[in-house]
Amino acid sequence: MKIATWNVNSLRIRLRHVQEWLKLNSIDVLCLQELKLSDEKFPIDELANSGYNAYFTGQKTYNGVAILINQKSIGQATDVIHNLPNFQDDQKRLIAVTVAGIRIVCGYFPNGQSLESEKFIYKMKWLNAITYWLFEEMKKYPRLALLGDYNIAPEDRDVHDPQKWEGQNLVSPQERKAFSRLENLGLHDAFRLFKQPEKTFSWWDYRMNAFRRNAGMRIDHILLSQALTEVCIDCKVDRTPRTWEKPSDHAPVITTLKYF
DNA sequence: ATGGCATGCAGGGCATGA
């Protein structure tokens, strides 16, 4: 079973990319972030034509998340929830479903903007809320995967230039501590279960030829509960779609689970 | 060195991203 996450930075612009990427990779479950469209504009039929059922919660212009389920290999999802039940929020940043006995949580974590920003306070509150919610959710669903754009680079090796970024938004000690708290729930970074090429990133700024210089960060992650970690046999970033015309600034991350 | 590039909304620049 292959589960993936991808911040597409507008599903309207990137629909063809998503369809092409799904065609090239036999993905069972794909989590999407930054749809940037309202629910009535969600391309349900186009994705159904690609063989995927969609579960989504969106809004105009900003945010929006979806989970695509392979119709042939999986079929339907159950127990769908939109947004964190313990956090009052107008921004559409979270969706969770159950497929094949696995709880799939898709999150678009707040960016934070800068440590001095009100948005950073919101980010830390959101991180606190998801952590408390997951503590309960993992009791209900021992097989749980948390996928998405975390907007946190967990370690210096996840940053192209750690000195330049030291202490800033995306890498600050507060954010990294919040990431550790998620791990302390019993979640494991699937990417770090395996030997990886150095300087592997999942996001590159559109500006300054950042992708060509590999001036990126690893901020998109897949965390797995213990039960899923035991059957995880691969995790990698696929840089390919970042090389296509008009790409998203993020690349997808894929993990493979045995026995499902 | 706070720009650079992309997107949405709106039909011109501004907000936002990371």
Side-chain angles (χ1 to χ4, degrees):
Chain A
M1 180 173 185
K2 282 190 186 173
I3 309 175
T5 178
W6 194 5
N7 178 327
V8 290
N9 185 21
S10 169
L11 183 57
R12 189 182 69 84
I13 299 291
R14 233 67 67 190
L15 177 60
R16 296 302 153 88
H17 280 40
V18 171
Q19 290 177 305
E20 178 66 15
W21 190 73
L22 286 169
K23 204 193 289 182
L24 292 170
N25 299 272
S26 47
I27 300 294
D28 298 290
V29 179
L30 175 59
C31 297
L32 299 174
Q33 301 89 38
E34 281 209 86
L35 309 178
K36 294 188 172 181
L37 45 76
S38 49
D39 287 347
E40 62 269 21
K41 291 185 176 171
F42 191 94
I44 299 171
D45 296 337
E46 290 88 339
L47 290 165
N49 288 338
S50 292
Y52 288 81
N53 292 324
Y55 302 82
F56 52 89
T57 179
Q59 65 187 95
K60 199 164 79 170
T61 313
Y62 303 115
N63 308 312
V65 286
I67 301 178
L68 309 184
I69 309 288
N70 191 309
Q71 289 165 349
K72 272 191 190 145
S73 66
I74 310 233
Q76 302 291 323
T78 60
D79 305 311
V80 181
I81 70 143
H82 294 174
N83 278 3
L84 292 166
N86 61 337
F87 189 75
Q88 184 58 43
D89 195 0
D90 294 330
Q91 302 185 30
K92 309 299 186 190
R93 295 184 174 277
L94 188 125
I95 185 167
V97 303
T98 300
V99 293
I102 300 176
R103 192 63 170 159
I104 304 284
V105 181
C106 169
Y108 175 45
F109 292 42
N111 174 289
Q113 198 166 59
S114 76
L115 271 63
E116 298 76 33
S117 170
E118 288 291 321
K119 289 173 187 164
F120 190 81
I121 296 166
Y122 166 73
K123 180 178 195 172
M124 297 312 294
K125 283 182 179 168
W126 197 94
L127 284 162
N128 192 52
I130 194 174
T131 306
Y132 275 95
W133 173 70
L134 282 169
F135 180 74
E136 300 299 329
E137 196 75 352
M138 287 174 68
K139 289 185 203 167
K140 286 185 237 172
Y141 305 97
R143 292 190 293 213
L144 182 145
L146 173 63
L147 306 92
D149 175 359
Y150 286 54
N151 274 312
I152 300 172
E155 298 179 71
D156 278 354
R157 59 178 165 160
D158 301 313
V159 182
H160 72 280
D161 188 346
Q163 288 178 334
K164 185 182 154 193
W165 279 88
E166 191 178 358
Q168 294 194 54
N169 190 44
L170 309 184
V171 306
S172 73
Q174 298 97 302
E175 292 161 82
R176 285 179 169 175
K177 194 164 184 184
F179 189 87
S180 298
R181 286 200 195 99
L182 289 171
E183 292 179 309
N184 291 342
L185 295 171
L187 294 168
H188 306 272
D189 185 346
F191 183 79
R192 292 295 177 207
L193 297 175
F194 307 96
K195 185 160 173 61
Q196 301 288 356
E198 279 186 37
K199 299 185 189 299
T200 299
F201 306 124
S202 67
W203 167 83
W204 303 261
D205 201 305
Y206 284 122
R207 299 165 290 190
M208 307 281 288
N209 290 315
F211 183 65
R212 250 180 21 197
R213 297 187 293 119
N214 195 31
M217 296 217 204
R218 193 176 70 93
I219 55 176
D220 301 87
H221 307 294
I222 301 175
L223 295 193
L224 300 175
S225 65
Q226 183 59 37
L228 293 183
T229 300
E230 287 165 14
V231 294
C232 180
I233 54 173
D234 191 27
C235 183
K236 62 186 178 226
V237 177
D238 182 8
R239 294 165 55 98
T240 313
R242 190 64 176 78
T243 69
W244 295 346
E245 284 283 306
K246 278 176 84 73
S248 167
D249 44 356
H250 294 252
V253 185
I254 318 172
T255 191
T256 308
L257 305 179
K258 215 176 173 182
Y259 305 129
F260 290 100

